Amino acid sequence: MNDLAIKELLYKMADDQLILGHRNSEWTGFGPLLEEDIAFSSMAQDKVGQSYALYTILHSLGEQEPDTVAFTRNAEQFHNSIFTELPNGEYDFSLIRHFLYDTAEIMRFDMLTESSFQPLAELAVKVRAELRYHTLHANTWVKQLGSATEESVARLQKSLEHALPYALGMFEESPYEKELIETGVFAGEKKLQEKWLVKISAIINETRLQLPDLSTLQPVSGGRIGKHSEHLQPLLNEMSEVFRIDPTAEW
Amino acid sequence: MMRSSEDIYTLLEEVKDPEIPVLSLVDLGVITNVSVENNQVNIEMTPTFVGCPALDMMKQDIKDVLAKNGMNHVSISVSFKEPWTSDKISEKGRKALKQFGLAPPPVGKNLFSDIDVLEHAACPRCGGSNTSLKNPFGPTLCRSIHYCEDCREAFEQFKPL
């Protein structure tokens, strides 16, 4: 099995979890309701913890320590999808992103429970169970606000249309796609996208929201190969600010 | 003096969950293996939640308790081979949670084929299920927030996972 292929897969997953985890943490103290403040903060903690577990697997494959990897790389060395680095915007955008992202993420980990790469398969069982709370949260609010008032429906619809091209960028294929599939490490982005579409369609059909025809949309890709929007570097600067003051500090 | 792994388990009863001081790590179910070879103690553990911030503290507390008992060669590894689920909490641990005021997680139920498990957690005060879920996320990763309509008070549940 090719280490590079596995590393590429682990990096994009870990970076997605870390960057969206950081965005979620920006809701701490600003949530529209105390419950939502707590929910986004808890999901942040889960996601950052899950990224740590993935960086730990990478470390066992010869990459640097998790903290070094998380805090000392620049934007072009990150493999997260552009979707995860976009600013939180209003709550409607954060909710829609949370829904589109976490639905994909739980299915990705679900597929990975069958992975031929044992450390990832073991971790996936655990992470899948945790992410159920995230998708439960997202689905509950999308169903509620997607059928509530004219304003809530219109806001979510607008955010959904804005978010979808970026969401499709999550499924940007790896240069090692064929190898990952053939060696049974991961069944591939195409398969994941199909499963994701079935699931989000089912939830959206329970609301007054309309899912646009995805084949008419141009995916916003590039994140997986380090081509990011202008939003990632400022996020990294803030996230690593304390670490960079004294990288050798003991916590 | 040679210690057996049973001895170590008994000593680990002293080490409590830093966030729930009535619950030992053994009863919490996070210790998945203990072995002793000569003077070397090897402990395997697994976190309740992957992002649990108490993990490092737990590891330190284990080392402290074993050092106090003369064991200085202790290695602790974290693994997901045998992932933690809430069913790993012992019967004694469940009682301790309830006395602490935290509803123990329901046993052996598949949480998401049965949403009622979350919606109607048993109140740790009155034992009734006339309760509602307020938030699947709580003050720590492993707790959710509920409200008992009969007691007219909020309570927390250790989340089923």
Side-chain angles (χ1 to χ4, degrees):
Chain A
M1 221 182 303
N2 183 344
D3 259 15
L4 282 176
I6 292 177
K7 284 183 187 176
E8 205 267 346
L9 176 67
L10 290 170
Y11 264 118
K12 73 178 173 189
M13 292 167 57
D15 290 349
D16 269 353
Q17 296 292 88
L18 178 66
I19 299 303
L20 190 57
H22 186 82
R23 284 294 184 217
N24 283 350
S25 78
E26 292 174 351
W27 276 110
T28 306
F30 295 96
L33 299 165
L34 181 58
E35 278 82 1
E36 280 311 276
D37 202 304
I38 295 168
F40 271 90
S41 305
S42 292
M43 291 189 289
Q45 200 180 343
D46 273 334
K47 287 189 185 328
V48 173
Q50 290 155 2
S51 78
Y52 182 86
L54 291 163
Y55 290 131
T56 303
I57 299 180
L58 277 163
H59 184 45
S60 74
L61 297 175
E63 296 298 291
Q64 299 205 57
E65 296 273 350
D67 278 356
T68 309
V69 168
F71 293 132
T72 64
R73 285 178 299 158
N74 288 317
E76 65 271 19
Q77 295 167 294
F78 270 78
H79 303 265
N80 60 288
S81 57
I82 291 174
F83 193 33
T84 58
E85 75 206 32
L86 296 177
N88 282 341
E90 299 277 332
Y91 177 76
D92 48 77
F93 177 74
S94 281
L95 172 61
I96 284 290
R97 172 167 58 185
H98 162 39
F99 166 65
L100 297 175
Y101 175 84
D102 279 293
T103 305
E105 208 53 22
I106 195 169
M107 297 195 147
R108 186 185 291 276
F109 279 102
D110 182 52
M111 287 160 72
L112 289 168
T113 60
E114 314 271 316
S115 177
S116 58
F117 181 52
Q118 202 57 30
L120 186 53
E122 286 167 5
L123 180 65
V125 172
K126 180 74 184 157
V127 172
R128 177 180 61 181
E130 296 181 359
L131 288 178
R132 283 178 182 161
Y133 281 98
H134 298 207
T135 51
L136 170 75
H137 177 262
N139 296 347
T140 304
W141 279 106
V142 166
K143 285 186 205 167
Q144 202 158 324
L145 292 174
S147 317
T149 65
E150 289 309 317
E151 189 192 356
S152 72
V153 174
R155 274 175 166 248
L156 283 192
Q157 182 66 38
K158 188 162 163 264
S159 281
L160 179 64
E161 287 168 18
H162 173 61
L164 276 169
Y166 292 98
L168 293 175
M170 293 189 288
F171 309 109
E172 183 178 353
E173 292 193 316
S174 154
Y176 307 103
E177 201 74 10
K178 194 161 164 271
E179 196 174 344
L180 289 171
I181 297 170
E182 279 171 1
T183 53
V185 173
F186 174 53
E189 300 293 338
K190 274 209 180 72
K191 183 113 181 250
L192 173 60
Q193 187 177 336
E194 284 165 21
K195 286 169 178 261
W196 169 81
L197 182 57
V198 171
K199 186 67 194 174
I200 62 159
S201 304
I203 302 287
I204 287 173
N205 283 340
E206 291 183 47
T207 68
R208 286 162 53 202
L209 302 171
Q210 303 285 333
L211 189 65
D213 178 0
L214 297 191
S215 65
T216 64
L217 302 176
Q218 181 63 37
V220 182
S221 312
R224 303 300 188 205
I225 53 167
K227 289 186 177 156
H228 292 281
S229 70
E230 72 274 25
H231 303 296
L232 183 58
Q233 193 57 52
L235 179 154
L236 297 175
N237 293 346
E238 186 183 278
M239 185 174 76
S240 60
E241 191 182 351
V242 176
F243 180 87
R244 286 176 195 238
I245 292 171
D246 182 2
T248 61
E250 289 278 337
W251 295 89
Chain B
M1 185 180 81
M2 268 299 281
R3 307 265 195 175
S4 67
S5 61
E6 285 75 28
D7 295 337
I8 309 282
Y9 270 108
T10 308
L11 290 171
L12 290 181
E13 290 278 337
E14 266 184 59
V15 187
K16 308 295 184 193
D17 180 332
E19 283 166 341
I20 309 167
V22 294
L23 186 63
S24 80
L25 298 192
V26 177
D27 287 318
L28 180 59
V30 296
I31 307 291
T32 51
N33 196 37
V34 174
S35 66
V36 190
E37 283 173 62
N38 303 322
N39 277 330
Q40 174 70 37
V41 180
N42 298 309
I43 295 175
E44 266 182 42
M45 62 185 297
T46 193
T48 52
F49 280 69
V50 175
C52 178
L55 192 63
D56 282 340
M57 205 184 281
M58 290 178 184
K59 283 157 89 174
Q60 192 55 50
D61 290 350
I62 291 173
K63 287 190 172 170
D64 290 348
V65 163
L66 295 183
K68 207 171 69 185
N69 289 277
M71 281 163 279
N72 294 305
H73 302 284
V74 178
S75 124
I76 304 172
S77 60
V78 175
S79 153
F80 296 99
K81 265 194 200 91
E82 206 186 306
W84 183 88
T85 75
S86 46
D87 284 353
K88 288 193 185 287
I89 301 176
S90 70
E91 200 44 49
K92 183 158 141 260
R94 298 173 58 79
K95 284 201 182 106
L97 280 176
K98 203 170 167 190
Q99 272 163 9
F100 188 62
L102 267 175
V107 181
K109 289 193 180 171
N110 185 335
L111 171 56
F112 296 93
S113 60
D114 186 2
I115 197 75
D116 279 357
V117 169
L118 274 187
E119 282 293 348
H120 300 291
C123 170
R125 267 180 292 270
C126 70
S129 58
N130 185 19
T131 66
S132 54
L133 173 68
K134 288 294 171 198
N135 195 345
F137 299 99
T140 71
L141 288 185
C142 51
R143 304 188 203 176
S144 49
I145 304 174
H146 304 256
Y147 186 78
C148 177
E149 306 291 345
D150 293 334
C151 299
R152 296 193 170 274
E153 276 204 66
F155 67 93
E156 292 167 18
Q157 172 169 258
F158 201 106
K159 278 155 98 158
L161 189 73

